Amino acid sequence: KQDFSRELQDIITVLALTVNMMLLRIVFTAHRHDIGAYRYLMASFAVSDLIYTSIHWLVYPIPEMYGNAFLLSGHGLFNSRLGACIYCGVYSQATPILVFHFLYRTLKIRSFYVMNNLFRPDEETLTRLAPLFSGNTSSPVIHRIETAGEHIQALYWSGETYSRARWKNLLGAFDAGFTIAATYTAIIMCAYLINKFLSEHVRSSKTLSLHHQLYRSLLCQAIYPLITTYSPLGVCMFLPIIGVNFDWVSILCPPLCVSHPLFDALILIFCMSDYRVRELCCRSMFLRQIGLSRC
């Protein structure tokens, strides 16, 4: 199971890096002047996705559920707990770009703090998770007892579910949930206000068309990671609070999480008509050259 997940992640990683490099090339070689400074916003998405994809591949993070516990660990080249914490910091970087660029540092440090400090392994957590790390229980991920301390770990209850709360871990989970909820609340409000403003004040059909393209691309870029990235990891983080576990989420999460940088770039390419036409022209010219060379 883990081998299949890794191979699928590697394929998606190559595609994500290729498509985002393609997007950067299109953004800085296109000659459409009315896009103006928007090209830098688009470039920031592409660069962010390149960083995220690279860190994801290096860490290869896999979230898991065990009883009332959530854990996240790296299984790639950078497989220490620090690597997983750095990934969580990078994991949050696309969210503030969608809202306000200046929130980036705040959310990144906050995410790192929750994972590094509030979800730090302790004696009770390691004791409760010992059967998982020693291989005495069924798990989609192969563990070794000597790496137990290298996982981000959150045990929500000291006893049975809802018995003797471990508030530090619970507050860390609620903080992560609040951050995502607040972000998407702001996105929904901004989407409504943007659409209202465009309808009431913009009269130029050319300007309106450009803004609608950007509007659609930003909405898609907000919705796609919510489905493929935040929801699977959220399931792994929050369901153990009520004692519910799904092993299959650990297998699906790595390829799903790394797929959103791939679709980020594809969304921008195909939502922006100028970029779409330009890329299709480049593809057709390339195919014609191949055909001529064969003749």
Side-chain angles (χ1 to χ4, degrees), residues 220-242:
C220 291
Q221 284 181 305
I223 293 169
Y224 189 80
L226 178 65
I227 297 170
T228 63
T229 304
Y230 302 131
S231 294
L233 192 55
V235 165
C236 252
M237 184 180 292
F238 297 116
L239 285 190
I241 295 175
I242 59 174

Side-chain angles (χ1 to χ4, degrees), residues 1 20 32-33 37 43 46 48 60 63 90 121 134 156 158 198 208 215 230 236 253 271 275 283 287:
K1 291 178 181 178
N20 278 283
R32 187 169 176 177
H33 299 294
S48 172
Y60 184 32
V90 175
S134 59
Y156 300 117
S158 292
L198 290 176
L208 194 61
Y215 180 69
Y230 302 131
C236 252
C253 204
C271 280
Y275 291 171
R283 296 301 123 203
L287 291 173

Side-chain angles (χ1 to χ4, degrees), residues 165-178:
R166 287 169 49 93
W167 288 109
K168 185 173 74 170
N169 291 161
L170 284 169
L171 288 172
F174 291 148
D175 181 83
F178 173 79

Side-chain angles (χ1 to χ4, degrees), residues 31-171:
H31 300 293
R32 187 169 176 177
H33 299 294
D34 54 351
I35 291 177
Y38 279 120
R39 71 176 68 249
Y40 300 109
L41 175 63
M42 295 173 186
S44 70
F45 281 119
V47 171
S48 172
D49 287 340
L50 286 170
I51 294 170
Y52 171 83
T53 304
S54 302
I55 296 297
H56 189 284
W57 186 85
L58 287 170
V59 176
Y60 184 32
I62 301 180
E64 296 178 76
M65 297 172 273
Y66 181 72
N68 294 127
F70 157 75
L71 58 152
L72 175 70
S73 56
H75 296 264
L77 298 176
F78 193 9
N79 56 11
S80 67
R81 199 172 68 87
L82 176 62
C85 290
I86 290 173
Y87 165 75
C88 288
V90 175
Y91 178 89
S92 69
Q93 71 185 5
T95 302
I97 293 175
L98 291 169
V99 188
F100 301 108
H101 281 284
F102 67 83
L103 287 178
Y104 168 73
R105 187 173 296 276
T106 303
L107 288 182
K108 188 169 183 177
I109 293 173
R110 189 170 179 173
S111 298
F112 181 88
Y113 174 80
V114 168
M115 297 299 166
N116 191 53
N117 294 77
L118 300 185
F119 285 7
R120 179 182 292 274
D122 56 34
E123 187 175 344
E124 183 179 11
T125 306
L126 292 172
T127 301
R128 288 282 296 276
L129 295 174
L132 178 68
F133 291 122
S134 59
N136 295 331
T137 185
S138 175
S139 170
V141 181
I142 299 171
H143 291 287
R144 299 192 311 276
I145 193 69
E146 58 268 22
T147 64
E150 293 298 327
H151 293 64
I152 294 171
Q153 300 171 25
L155 178 64
Y156 300 117
W157 311 101
S158 292
E160 298 297 321
T161 305
Y162 308 124
S163 173
R164 302 202 308 276
R166 287 169 49 93
W167 288 109
K168 185 173 74 170
N169 291 161
L170 284 169
L171 288 172

Side-chain angles (χ1 to χ4, degrees), residues 12 98 184 217-232 255-264 267:
I12 296 174
L98 291 169
Y184 276 87
S217 68
L218 287 173
L219 281 181
C220 291
Q221 284 181 305
I223 293 169
Y224 189 80
L226 178 65
I227 297 170
T228 63
T229 304
Y230 302 131
S231 294
L256 281 175
C257 284
V258 80
S259 71
H260 95 254
L262 167 63
F263 284 92
D264 255 357
I267 286 167

